[in-house]
Amino acid sequence: MKLQVQPKLIIHGGAGSSLHGKGGIEVVRRSLHTVVEKVYSLLLSGATACEAVVQGCYMLEDDSCFNSGTGSVLQSDGQIRMSASLMDGALGRFSGVINISRVKNPIELAQFLQNSPDRVLSDYGSAELAREMQIPIYNALTDLRLQEWIQERQDNFKSTMAGVVAEPELVETSNARRGTIGVVALDGYGKIAAGTSTGGKGFERIGRVSDSAMPAGNYATGHAGVSCTGIGEDIIDECLAARIVVRVTDGMSLKDAMQRSFTEAHQNKRDLGAIALDASGAIAWGKTSQVLLAAYHDGIAIGDTLELPENSEVGCLS
C-alpha cells in the first residue's frame, strides 16, 4: 500500500540530571540515533505505527545503557521488575505488563496483550503469560547495575532512585535520576502509536507501580500520542500523557497542549519529561528535568534534545 503521509518518529531514553561531559552525550546520541535510523526506515517501508513502536522499544530495551530490559535497575531487594505498555491510537487500545521479571523484552508481552480481552497484567499474571508464550527466561542484570545497587546498599539506600543511564562515564551523583524508554510513531497511513518501557526507579519498595504501564505515562488516540519519563509519581499526579493527548483531541494544537501541560507541571514542581506526535506530523518534547534524552526524525533528518538548556523547556516542530 502506498504511503499517504510522511512518517514521523520520536524516541526517548529517559530524563535526568546533566550528562557529565561531551563524551557522555555522544554515547547516548549514538544509541538513540541508531534506533531512530532503523525504525524510521521501517516506517518508510510501510510498517505500521505499532510495529515501529514495538521495534524501537525492542532496540532500546536491548541497549544496556538505558533503564529498561537489559540494563534495568534493581529494586530494594536486589531484584529486577520491569513494566511496559503499548497503545494503538487508531484502535484506542491500551495494553501492558506491570513488574514482570526474567524476560528480555517486556514490550513483547504488551504487544501480545493488544489482542487479549485482559489487556493489563500484574506481576503474577505477566509471568504466567510469559510461560504460556514460551518466552525464554532471561537475566537482565548487568555488572554496572549490580555495582550501583551494592554501592547504594552499603550507603543504606540513601538515594531515592538509580542512575538514568548505565555507562561508567555517565555515573551521576544527584539523587534526582530516573530512566524509562519510549517511542511514538506516526506511520505512512496517518496512524499513531506509543510505547513505553522501564525497569522502575531503582531501590524502590517492592510492589511499587510505574507510570509506564498506565495511560498517565503512555497514551495515544487518532489525534496524538505521548510517552513520558521522569519521576513516575509526578507523572501519575499530572496524568501527563493522557492530559496532553486529550487536549489535542479536543482541538488544542500539540504545541499549545505541551506548553500548557508543562507550565502546570513546572508550577506543581514536578520532575518529568515527555515526547509527542500529532496526526498533522508535528513533533514535540518537553521537560522540567535538566536533561531529556530524546531523538527524532522529522521526515528530513535526525535531531535530538541532548543539549537543550537545563531549565524547563518545550519544543515543537511542525
Side-chain angles (χ1 to χ4, degrees), residues 49-50 53 86-90 183-186 191-195 220-221 225 277:
C50 270
V53 165
L86 175 66
M87 188 158 189
D88 184 329
V183 181
V184 187
L186 170 69
K191 296 180 179 179
I192 297 170
T221 65
L277 289 172

Side-chain angles (χ1 to χ4, degrees), residues 16 159 166 177 179 225 246 250 291 296 317:
S159 295
R177 299 170 287 179
V246 167
D250 286 349
V291 172
Y296 54 85
L317 302 172

Side-chain angles (χ1 to χ4, degrees), residues 10-315:
I10 186 166
I11 72 173
H12 73 74
S17 303
S18 297
L19 298 178
H20 287 186
K22 189 69 175 178
I25 289 175
E26 289 307 322
V27 169
V28 174
R29 178 170 281 141
R30 282 196 301 272
S31 293
L32 293 176
H33 284 213
T34 297
V35 175
V36 169
E37 186 175 10
K38 170 66 175 178
V39 176
Y40 194 75
S41 69
L42 291 176
L43 287 167
L44 289 178
S45 69
T48 66
C50 270
E51 290 169 341
V53 165
V54 170
Q55 179 60 41
C57 287
Y58 262 92
M59 293 180 71
L60 289 164
E61 287 175 339
D62 289 347
D63 190 330
S64 61
C65 181
F66 302 114
N67 174 20
S68 65
T70 303
S72 289
V73 297
L74 279 65
Q75 296 192 354
S76 58
D77 62 347
Q79 300 299 309
I80 291 173
R81 297 177 180 90
M82 301 168 283
S83 298
S85 67
L86 175 66
M87 188 158 189
D88 184 329
L91 297 178
R93 185 177 294 169
F94 183 95
S95 59
V97 290
I98 298 170
N99 287 339
I100 187 168
S101 300
R102 303 198 300 170
V103 299
K104 187 177 184 182
N105 298 104
I107 196 67
E108 181 180 3
L109 286 87
Q111 181 184 31
F112 179 90
L113 289 169
Q114 276 282 304
N115 297 311
S116 168
D118 307 309
R119 293 205 303 272
V120 181
L121 299 180
S122 65
D123 49 0
Y124 180 77
S126 299
E128 283 296 298
L129 176 61
R131 182 184 60 79
E132 292 170 14
M133 293 173 64
Q134 299 184 328
I135 295 175
I137 292 174
Y138 179 76
N139 183 5
L141 180 64
T142 65
D143 288 341
L144 284 169
R145 290 302 189 190
L146 178 59
Q147 291 304 314
E148 181 180 50
W149 182 83
I150 290 173
Q151 180 179 341
E152 192 56 35
R153 184 184 182 188
Q154 292 170 344
D155 204 24
N156 201 28
F157 295 113
K158 290 182 180 178
S159 295
T160 58
M161 302 173 203
V164 63
V165 286
E167 291 287 334
E169 64 268 42
L170 301 183
V171 173
E172 301 174 81
T173 58
S174 169
N175 285 342
R177 299 170 287 179
R178 45 265 166 208
T180 313
I181 64 93
V183 181
V184 187
L186 170 69
D187 66 27
Y189 317 108
K191 296 180 179 179
I192 297 170
T196 307
S197 181
T198 187
K201 61 183 180 181
F203 320 139
E204 66 263 54
R205 181 187 295 270
I206 300 167
R208 180 258 184 185
V209 176
S210 164
D211 68 284
S212 298
M214 299 183 189
N218 189 76
Y219 199 69
T221 65
H223 298 274
V226 175
S227 172
C228 300
T229 182
I231 296 179
E233 285 72 13
D234 284 359
I235 294 166
I236 293 167
D237 288 345
E238 292 293 306
C239 202
L240 185 63
R243 176 177 291 187
I244 294 166
V245 172
V246 167
R247 282 174 164 163
V248 176
T249 302
D250 286 349
M252 189 177 288
S253 71
L254 179 60
K255 181 179 180 180
D256 289 346
M258 290 285 284
Q259 190 65 64
R260 179 177 295 184
S261 300
F262 274 87
T263 296
E264 293 166 349
H266 180 72
Q267 290 171 345
N268 292 332
K269 296 181 170 57
R270 310 300 192 191
D271 199 337
L272 42 73
I275 57 171
L277 289 172
D278 72 8
S280 75
I283 301 172
W285 58 85
K287 67 179 180 69
T288 60
S289 56
Q290 289 182 321
V291 172
L292 175 66
L293 311 181
Y296 54 85
H297 202 302
D298 62 5
I300 299 173
I302 297 174
D304 62 58
T305 66
L306 300 185
E307 297 181 84
L308 294 177
E310 292 187 2
N311 54 303
S312 183
E313 177 90 11
V314 173

